[in-house]
Amino acid sequence: MRIWIKDPLAIFAAGAERGVVVEGSRIAERVGRGQTPERIDATYDASRAVVLPGLVNAHHHFYQTLTRAHPQAINKKLFPWLVALYTIWSRLKPAHLRLAVRMALTELLLSGCTTAADHHYLYPAGLEDAVDIAVEEALRLGVRMTVSRGSMNLSAKDGGLPPDSVVQDEETILADGERVLKLFHDPKPGARIRIALAPCSPFSISKDLMTESARLAERYDCQLHTHLCETDDEEQFCLSMYGLRPVDLLEETGWMSSRVWLAHGIHFNAEEIARLGRAGVGVCHCAASNMVLTSGVCRTCELEAAGAPVGLGVDGSASNDASNMMEAVRHALMIGRLRYGADKITHLDVLRWATEGSARCLGRSDIGTIVEGREADLALYTLDEPRFSGAHDPLAALVLCGAHRADRVMVAGEWRVVDGMPVGLDLGGLIAEHSAAARDFA
Ligand SMILES: [Zn+2]
């Protein structure tokens, strides 16, 4: 089956003015100006749509959709915000998590996201199957996922930040990491599910767990992920606990590699940026979360110039508090402008970070761009809302006028959103169930 996505209003791809041909799960052909593709079985009229490669969300905590705008946590910086929420989160049960995952994936999908990384690091007793739940829900909704098997093993009694009730010991963490790698990790191009190993952050894990996670990732050929250099508090913690700055901690534990992508990456010095770039360590910029928690601003331009892949993430829904990937694109433009000036960051830069950049963070070259042979993951937006009326450059309008909902979304050649609604899912029913779970839990 060859489908021609025909004559888009605009498309974020070179040489595809007349659209793209999708064959099976892949992009078969870009159709340039004045060209007509051959052997077409079906045509989709895209003349009202701006077409992007499906957006790739490189950092999130799906379970946090249950504690958005929580009165105990709002108006705080990272450490007090975490301490306020840990005890609430320790009550999380599998049924709550399943609805949270379904809601986060649906919200992301509706915003045009086709691949999402979730970092689940919370393991109170009874929640041992968190990864299995995420995989089941992702396959059901048809969104690609890197499910990051998170971990915490340094609780308050050992000098860490989280309470005892949400951490596990190192042996349990590594054994479960290996279990889910064997069960679910697919390193091949076109994979629906990949697993990453993701010790949570320097103030909630031991140095040994970082080293052993890196060894396990090497054996199973998977990515490694953690939060790093999000706040000054974290830097002080590393200096007093280990006598090391956070990037030196990465170096000592075998994490300076292109297998690694970091969430936030704000408080690096120039020498550290050069080292991260040389090693090919990716950085996921989480603009909304950084603004809400007043953590600082990621040095995206310096990191990219040094050679580090830069991607975008919405971050957890208790610090954003939304899971909208198109909004994340706009936030990255706004905060980037404030830092670097009007001529240094364009709408094309932030769209590139949200697609190809995030895909590189996740170690994927099969998604993130509209090129022959890549996966047919596409997001189509119409510009017929009041906010776009009078707009001229359609690609710029998506970002500057604030697109937030896709009209159609395709993953691996299949439509997963049609007319702005998820295919095969009762959205009203999900909102009702998820809201009830949030009330019950939090
Ligand atoms: Zn995070």
Side-chain angles (χ1 to χ4, degrees):
M1 184 76 173
R2 280 167 57 87
I3 306 168
W4 180 14
I5 314 284
K6 188 183 172 188
D7 291 332
L9 201 54
I11 184 165
F12 189 53
E17 293 81 1
R18 294 212 67 203
V20 289
V21 178
V22 170
E23 188 168 348
S25 71
R26 302 234 169 110
I27 306 279
E29 190 178 339
R30 281 171 293 171
V31 187
R33 194 172 282 116
Q35 295 176 353
T36 305
E38 291 171 2
R39 298 179 289 107
I40 292 301
D41 302 303
T43 298
Y44 177 76
D45 175 8
S47 59
R48 285 171 55 247
V50 181
V51 180
L52 301 181
L55 304 178
V56 180
N57 178 31
H59 185 67
H60 205 326
H61 311 288
F62 287 176
Y63 74 89
Q64 291 181 12
T65 57
L66 295 160
T67 53
R68 300 190 221 238
H70 196 287
Q72 284 180 35
I74 52 175
N75 313 326
K76 288 186 167 72
K77 285 173 79 78
L78 179 70
F79 277 21
W81 174 87
L82 277 168
V83 170
L85 287 167
Y86 279 139
T87 45
I88 300 169
W89 292 340
S90 70
R91 299 197 288 265
L92 192 68
K93 299 279 186 297
H96 301 132
L97 179 65
R98 184 174 293 283
L99 286 167
V101 169
R102 198 176 296 163
M103 176 53 80
L105 284 171
T106 302
E107 203 183 342
L108 285 166
L109 188 61
L110 291 174
S111 75
C113 173
T114 52
T115 300
D118 183 41
H119 184 181
H120 186 88
Y121 53 79
L122 201 73
Y123 285 87
L127 206 62
E128 290 78 13
D129 290 342
V131 168
D132 310 57
I133 290 170
V135 170
E136 282 167 25
E137 290 298 317
L139 291 174
R140 182 184 154 182
L141 277 161
V143 182
R144 290 182 208 280
M145 262 192 85
T146 292
V147 185
S148 304
R149 201 296 179 190
S151 52
M152 301 198 288
N153 72 334
L154 194 73
S155 67
K157 71 170 168 30
D158 300 316
L161 200 65
D164 233 17
S165 55
V166 290
V167 306
Q168 294 178 306
D169 62 58
E170 183 179 323
E171 203 180 322
T172 306
I173 291 165
L174 292 168
D176 192 56
E178 193 157 10
R179 177 186 75 85
V180 296
L181 279 162
K182 281 181 181 162
L183 263 179
F184 303 121
H185 182 55
D186 179 2
K188 294 188 295 298
R192 296 289 188 146
I193 302 291
R194 287 194 182 169
I195 299 291
L197 298 178
C200 187
S201 51
F203 48 86
S204 59
I205 51 177
S206 67
K207 217 164 131 182
D208 198 49
L209 178 59
M210 288 199 68
T211 307
E212 292 307 318
S213 297
R215 287 195 183 131
L216 194 56
E218 204 65 45
R219 271 175 52 208
Y220 284 90
D221 188 20
C222 75
Q223 295 294 101
L224 283 163
H225 183 49
T226 192
H227 296 91
L228 204 85
C229 288
E230 181 174 358
T231 62
D232 290 325
D233 295 1
E234 178 201 308
E235 188 178 307
Q236 288 312 314
F237 180 92
C238 288
L239 286 169
S240 65
M241 187 85 171
Y242 302 114
L244 294 169
R245 287 175 54 78
V247 174
D248 297 323
L249 182 64
L250 284 191
E251 189 98 56
E252 274 213 14
T253 50
W255 278 59
M256 286 297 259
S257 108
S258 58
R259 214 177 262 300
V260 172
W261 90 103
L262 307 169
H264 306 295
I266 295 167
H267 301 279
F268 299 134
N269 63 34
E271 180 264 341
E272 289 166 342
I273 288 176
R275 276 159 70 198
L276 292 162
R278 272 198 302 277
V281 173
V283 174
C284 175
H285 175 31
C286 303
S289 168
N290 298 158
M291 288 188 277
V292 166
L293 299 174
T294 62
S295 303
V297 186
C298 178
R299 291 165 70 184
T300 46
C301 290
E302 290 93 331
L303 283 160
E304 197 163 48
V310 170
L312 298 184
V314 300
D315 201 2
S317 294
S319 69
N320 182 321
D321 293 72
S323 312
N324 191 304
M325 201 47 205
M326 262 318 280
E327 283 182 359
V329 173
R330 187 164 193 248
H331 291 145
L333 180 85
M334 300 295 180
I335 200 171
R337 288 280 172 95
L338 208 51
R339 173 153 205 145
Y340 295 104
D343 57 341
K344 293 291 190 295
I345 295 187
T346 70
H347 61 282
L348 301 176
D349 291 319
V350 287
L351 287 172
R352 179 168 47 75
W353 292 344
T355 52
E356 191 180 358
S358 287
R360 285 182 65 203
C361 284
L362 302 186
R364 300 192 70 143
S365 56
D366 58 334
I367 57 170
T369 48
I370 298 175
V371 174
E372 288 79 358
R374 301 281 161 91
E375 291 295 298
D377 293 0
L378 302 170
L380 282 66
Y381 303 82
T382 52
L383 303 184
D384 47 13
E385 289 175 68
R387 66 195 309 151
F388 300 110
S389 183
H392 295 269
D393 179 329
L395 274 172
L398 273 192
V399 182
L400 296 174
C401 304
H404 58 102
R405 191 153 179 176
D407 177 58
R408 283 203 169 222
V409 178
M410 175 182 274
V411 188
E414 288 176 38
W415 293 117
R416 295 295 182 174
V417 172
V418 170
D419 298 333
M421 293 299 279
V423 173
L425 183 130
D426 168 17
L427 189 57
L430 174 59
I431 294 169
E433 272 190 284
H434 179 266
S435 306
R439 279 192 300 274
D440 164 51
F441 151 82

